[in-house]
Amino acid sequence: MTELQKALYRHFGFRSFKKGQEEIINSVLQKQDTIAMLPTGGGKSLCYQLPGYMLEGLVLIISPLLSLMEDQVQQLKAGGEKRVAALNSMLSPNERHFILSNISRYKFLYMSPEALSSPYVLNRLKSVPVSLFVIDEAHCISEWGHDFRPDYSKLGPFRKALGQPPVLALTATATKETLLDVADVLGLEHAVRHLYSVNRPNILLAVENCADTAEKINRIAELAEKLEGPGIVYCPTRKWAEELAAELNEKTGKRTDYYHGGMDSGDRILIQQQFIHNQLDCICCTNAFGMGVNKADIRFVIHFSLPQTAEAFMQEIGRAGRDGKPSVSILLRAPGDIELQQQIIQMESLSDYDLEAILSIIKKAGTREERQLRDVLINGGVQETQARTAVHLYLQGKTSKELLQEELTRRLENKLHKMHRVSALLGRKECIREALLAYFDESYEPDGQSGQCCSSCGIDLSPYEQKGERKNMERFENWKLELDRIFGLRSAGELS
């Protein structure tokens, strides 16, 4: 047994690594900047957690979602690690102050890129040695960093301000272009790459054509009733997530709830934990749900509508079957799907009138401080995402209506192009898996041992149908008490 294997067993109780983990960890331990792509369920978290125990100093993990941070913090705490925290909106001012005042006592610290933009937070981080700068879900740099989460595009300068610690950028799905973008934003000129296949052969890929939305609803109810759960149904809008959850509760015996970004953060975490702990059979959600959710036994993922990108589709279907057991992904298509996604994408656009008003507010503000400008716009009635994007572009030199509109139009056209491309991939009569892997510059060679492939190759859903019954869930009202019951939440002060 090697020293690394001994450390693996000592800290996590595992006797062997999953594919790719050992190579990635060795790269990190050699303090090489590393870009790693492992499929969903491939054990990405271990790739920074184990080196964290073997390196001196703080491991700083940049994470995109509050629920993802909380889930990973609780996993480490459940394993006995107390030196872990997340800086997020769930903390009280006192808890936040405690963490930042005692930052030298932590081994793992999770935060969003927006938190790093606080001068006070950045200065506190400068007071301790950062042994590893981790970007979890690194594809977000490319997908979000140029759009509604511009702080992602500043991670390179943030890293420089912290003394250029080694970087580990982790993702489950990325094209060559995305990986180049990640390297460019982070300033990684000589990063080592460990890239493994995005293919999940245990997930059957099915596409079904429906006549209209009503037929889709009935089909989802039928599938949710028949298929072995638990499962996820991805919806195009928050309204559809809520309405579809109500439909499934009415038409099936499944314990169903909804999840989207418009909910209170405590409610979102509660729904996620209910799902993880088998108190819910099915979640109807927007793409806000699922990233990093530590649930290995999700048996089905259904898409109620066309996804916007192939990257998003692969991320979402990859939430099924992380335990390696047979699982199924089903996309329902109907006339009007493309038009619906076009409308959703175009809702992000701004008219010339809107841009003139935004520029007027910015120029009258008398500051070039990004947060202040963003707050001024939001207080002036501008939607937060649009305010973030407009301020970010303005400070990059897009200071006229024409320049702003030109950039926004370019981004809109790129999103529409990706949406049409994934529609074509998922609508083809030939092997769907082969087409998706080709999108990620991979070839597909069936091994004849991985079970069913896709609906184009011929499928049988009967092996995925439910066997046995699930007991009824216990209802409750107070999410704070329930969160405490589920995994014993403790305040940041537990280190004292």
Side-chain angles (χ1 to χ4, degrees):
M1 185 179 285
T2 66
E3 289 302 315
L4 192 56
Q5 288 171 329
K6 290 177 183 177
L8 175 69
Y9 183 73
R10 182 168 64 253
H11 292 290
F12 296 95
F14 302 140
R15 293 191 179 276
S16 62
F17 291 98
K18 291 184 178 180
K19 184 178 180 179
Q21 287 180 323
E22 190 169 7
E23 293 81 0
I24 294 166
I25 290 169
N26 275 319
S27 178
V28 170
L29 291 175
Q30 292 167 19
K31 299 187 178 180
Q32 296 175 309
D33 291 332
T34 305
I35 297 175
M37 186 165 74
L38 285 173
T40 305
K44 291 184 290 295
S45 298
L46 186 80
C47 294
Y48 62 80
Q49 290 174 357
L50 182 56
Y53 287 118
M54 303 175 74
L55 295 169
E56 294 294 329
L58 176 72
V59 177
L60 180 63
I61 306 105
I62 305 303
S63 184
L65 299 175
L66 182 151
S67 56
L68 175 54
M69 294 184 213
E70 289 295 328
D71 188 50
Q72 294 182 339
V73 166
Q74 293 308 322
Q75 287 178 54
L76 280 167
K77 286 185 176 180
E81 180 55 70
K82 292 186 176 182
R83 301 167 299 167
V84 56
L87 280 178
N88 58 42
S89 58
M90 289 292 290
L91 297 177
S92 68
N94 285 342
E95 288 173 324
R96 184 180 177 85
H97 175 74
F98 179 90
I99 291 171
L100 292 172
S101 298
N102 294 275
I103 199 163
S104 62
R105 300 169 68 180
Y106 288 90
K107 170 55 71 174
F108 301 99
L109 184 62
Y110 292 80
M111 65 175 62
S112 68
E114 288 80 12
L116 260 183
S117 67
S118 162
Y120 176 68
V121 171
L122 199 58
N123 283 332
R124 291 302 302 145
L125 287 169
K126 288 179 183 178
S127 70
V128 297
V130 176
S131 63
L132 186 61
F133 189 62
V134 181
I135 318 298
D136 199 10
E137 308 293 350
H139 60 277
C140 293
I141 291 175
S142 187
E143 291 184 22
W144 294 352
H146 307 301
D147 205 337
F148 73 99
R149 302 269 307 260
D151 287 294
Y152 261 104
S153 66
K154 303 174 189 173
L155 289 177
F158 289 149
R159 176 208 178 197
K160 188 175 182 180
L162 294 173
Q164 296 282 68
V167 168
L168 173 60
L170 291 162
T171 184
T173 53
T175 61
K176 285 181 179 178
E177 292 76 14
T178 297
L179 294 173
L180 286 171
D181 204 13
V182 168
D184 182 57
V185 168
L186 295 173
L188 307 180
E189 295 183 9
H190 306 290
V192 175
R193 295 189 178 197
H194 294 282
L195 310 178
Y196 296 87
S197 176
V198 300
N199 187 28
R200 294 286 302 285
N202 64 309
I203 302 176
L204 167 64
L205 305 177
V207 176
E208 296 187 11
N209 293 313
C210 300
D212 51 30
T213 299
E215 186 177 327
K216 279 187 179 183
I217 294 172
N218 290 333
R219 180 56 174 155
I220 287 178
E222 181 183 8
L223 289 167
E225 185 70 49
K226 285 185 176 180
L227 294 175
E228 181 73 28
I232 301 174
V233 180
Y234 280 104
C235 305
T237 65
R238 295 173 178 179
K239 185 171 182 288
W240 265 118
E242 295 184 13
E243 292 184 359
L244 199 54
E247 289 276 352
L248 295 186
N249 274 318
E250 180 181 337
K251 294 180 176 180
T252 76
K254 300 296 183 177
R255 306 165 295 183
T256 305
D257 215 325
Y258 62 85
Y259 182 109
H260 58 65
M263 298 166 62
D264 176 85
S265 59
D267 290 335
R268 292 201 306 273
I269 291 176
L270 174 58
I271 294 296
Q272 177 172 306
Q273 292 302 320
Q274 284 182 275
F275 186 59
I276 288 171
H277 290 83
N278 296 319
Q279 293 182 324
L280 290 171
D281 299 312
C282 185
I283 296 285
C284 295
C285 58
T286 61
N287 59 7
F289 180 80
M291 192 179 289
V293 169
N294 185 32
K295 187 167 181 63
D297 63 345
I298 296 171
R299 297 273 72 92
F300 70 83
V301 172
I302 299 173
H303 279 82
F304 182 68
S305 187
L306 183 72
Q308 285 193 7
T309 67
E311 291 91 339
F313 184 67
M314 291 298 284
Q315 282 275 340
E316 288 156 10
I317 67 173
R319 277 136 208 178
R322 291 177 60 173
D323 54 9
K325 296 180 181 179
S327 305
V328 61
S329 158
I330 302 174
L331 166 69
L332 302 181
R333 295 183 64 128
D337 280 3
I338 290 179
E339 289 75 15
L340 173 61
Q341 286 294 5
Q342 284 177 331
Q343 290 174 11
I344 293 171
I345 291 170
Q346 288 168 344
M347 283 174 63
E348 301 172 13
S349 63
L350 291 165
S351 67
D352 285 351
Y353 176 81
D354 292 330
L355 290 176
E356 286 175 354
I358 285 171
L359 286 170
S360 176
I361 293 172
I362 289 175
K363 289 173 181 176
K364 287 178 182 177
T367 180
R368 289 186 63 83
E369 206 285 316
E370 187 161 357
R371 285 188 168 221
Q372 291 179 16
L373 287 174
R374 189 187 304 165
D375 290 343
V376 168
L377 286 177
I378 293 170
N379 292 335
V382 180
Q383 196 266 341
E384 183 179 357
T385 298
Q386 294 174 336
R388 286 180 182 277
T389 303
V391 169
H392 182 61
L393 293 177
Y394 181 86
L395 295 177
Q396 284 188 327
K398 315 293 185 188
T399 54
S400 70
K401 178 187 69 178
E402 291 76 18
L403 288 172
L404 276 174
Q405 194 62 272
E406 180 183 356
E407 178 62 20
L408 291 172
T409 299
R410 184 189 67 78
R411 296 181 182 197
L412 181 68
E413 289 174 349
N414 183 52
K415 288 184 178 182
L416 289 171
H417 172 72
K418 284 194 165 191
M419 185 269 293
H420 283 288
R421 190 173 175 190
V422 72
S423 176
L425 288 176
L426 297 174
R428 56 183 277 153
K429 294 180 180 178
E430 297 80 11
C431 179
I432 298 168
R433 191 180 305 271
E434 183 179 17
L436 281 168
L437 292 178
Y439 179 89
F440 292 97
D441 304 301
E442 288 189 42
S443 59
Y444 175 50
E445 298 178 4
D447 58 14
Q449 300 177 354
S450 300
Q452 301 186 70
C453 176
C454 70
S455 50
S456 295
C457 297
I459 60 170
D460 174 14
L461 288 181
S462 60
Y464 304 90
E465 293 179 359
Q466 180 172 316
K467 303 163 185 68
E469 296 292 330
R470 285 177 178 266
K471 63 181 181 180
N472 292 329
M473 71 181 289
E474 230 177 273
R475 295 287 178 182
F476 49 80
E477 302 297 330
N478 190 312
W479 66 261
K480 290 184 178 179
L481 290 177
E482 181 60 13
L483 283 178
D484 189 59
R485 187 194 71 75
I486 287 174
F487 48 55
L489 279 178
R490 301 171 184 171
S491 72
E494 67 180 320
L495 286 176
S496 59

